[in-house]
Structure formats: C-alpha cells, structure tokens
Amino acid sequence: MSSFLRPLAYRHRWIYDTVTAVSSLSVGGVQRLRGLGLEVMKARLQPGAAVLDLCCGSGEAAAPWLSAGFNVTGLDVSPLALNLAASRHPDLQRVEGLAEAPPFADAAFDAIQLSVALHEFPRQEREIVLRQCLRLLRPGGWLVLVDLHPAGPWLRLPQWLFCALFETDTATAMLEDDLPSQLRGLGFNQVEQELLAGEALQRITACRPTARPPGEQ
C-alpha cells in the first residue's frame, strides 16, 4: 500500500524531482546520489564494460555510466519511463521487462546497478530479483545497489515521514532486513556495505564468485 502522494509525484514530474532533490542533500545533491553506483565501480571495471541498470526508470542513474564510457542497458517495466529515457539519454539501450524475469542470457553483464529501486519489491520478489542479478552477472562481475537503510537518530523522523508519504510498505519491510546477509546467503561474495546520509542510505557492492560453490550444478 502507498499514500495518494506517491502516484501524484510520478504523474507530476516536478513533485518527484523536488522530493529527489531534497532527499539527496545529505549525500551532496542529486548528481552525487545518481552517481553513487559508478563511484565505487569505475575502477573495478574495464572501459566499455557491459552494465545493466535494473529498474532504470527514465535513465538518470544510468547517465553517469554512459558519460564514463560504459555500454549500458536499462531495463524497466514502464514504457512511459523508457520513452522518457530515450529522449533524455539516447545512448542508453532500453529494454522493457520485469526485473523478476529479465529477458537476458546468463552471464550477460559485467556489472548491475540497482539505484534506489530494490525497496519497491516485496520480500519474496526482492529475493527473486537478487537471484536474477546473480544469474545475469559474469563470474567476477559486480552488483552495486544503493537503497534505504534505517537512519540514525538525526534523520530517523524525516525518513519515517518520507516513507509514509512517498513510499510503499515494501520500503518499511526492507528497512527491517539485513541485505548484506541476504546477498551472502544467495551466493554472492566480497559483500561490502557503506552507510551514507546519516545512515539513511546504504551502498552495497557484491561479487558473483568466479567458481561455483560446492554442490552447485
């Protein structure tokens, strides 16, 4: 469930952009928020590497990767969002589809980004999305996700208000969960978590192992 403000914000772009701008101040502004994935991945990837921006929306979080010279594909379920991405970021390869069933071959990407999108999924679907990420990554490939984290004392009330006004109950559920442990349990390794914005955001990097775990077919 979500409040009436959530669909209103998506219908009227200025509301969405204003909320994004205000909420990004604690990490240094909108541009840095959208570049948080690239910030930690750029040195780990070869030039021109294949990157998937999962739940890419209108492509703002893909834009820094494109500017850095990566080969970026954006997947989203919304044709309207993809059309907007086409007008704003014509170099972005756009694919319409579900994050729970992305229409790509196994081991197709060197890196996958999920930028403030994973909290949109209920727990069961969230696990499916992360399993798909593991499938789509090449051995040694990287997942980077930026999303909500329980805020420290100074931002706890603003975060609660933000979630109540603009998010669904799936966001609240994710705040209760331990994403690094979940990623390790799914088979990722080299899982690292960094807390940002008064602990209200988490940036997690995780790697698909280069060798299959014992017992995996």
Side-chain angles (χ1 to χ4, degrees), residues 119-121 126 148 163 167-176:
H119 69 268
E120 303 279 355
F121 296 91
R126 187 201 316 154
L148 301 174
C163 289
E167 294 296 347
T168 68
D169 52 1
T170 61
T172 305
M174 200 185 77
L175 291 173
E176 300 170 354

Side-chain angles (χ1 to χ4, degrees), residues 118-198:
L118 192 61
H119 69 268
E120 303 279 355
F121 296 91
R123 283 191 176 99
Q124 184 176 0
E125 285 77 5
R126 187 201 316 154
E127 180 174 333
I128 293 171
V129 171
L130 294 176
R131 288 188 185 277
Q132 289 291 343
C133 290
L134 190 64
R135 177 183 72 82
L136 295 175
L137 283 171
R138 293 168 183 158
W142 290 93
L143 169 67
V144 56
L145 65 89
V146 177
D147 221 308
L148 301 174
H149 180 272
W154 293 105
L155 290 179
R156 193 167 297 152
L157 180 58
Q159 184 184 64
W160 180 86
L161 289 171
F162 175 81
C163 289
L165 292 174
F166 292 102
E167 294 296 347
T168 68
D169 52 1
T170 61
T172 305
M174 200 185 77
L175 291 173
E176 300 170 354
D177 294 344
D178 184 342
L179 284 182
S181 293
Q182 183 178 14
L183 289 166
R184 294 186 188 98
L186 292 174
F188 287 93
N189 64 10
Q190 301 185 56
V191 179
E192 298 180 0
Q193 179 191 49
E194 182 181 1
L195 301 184
L196 306 166

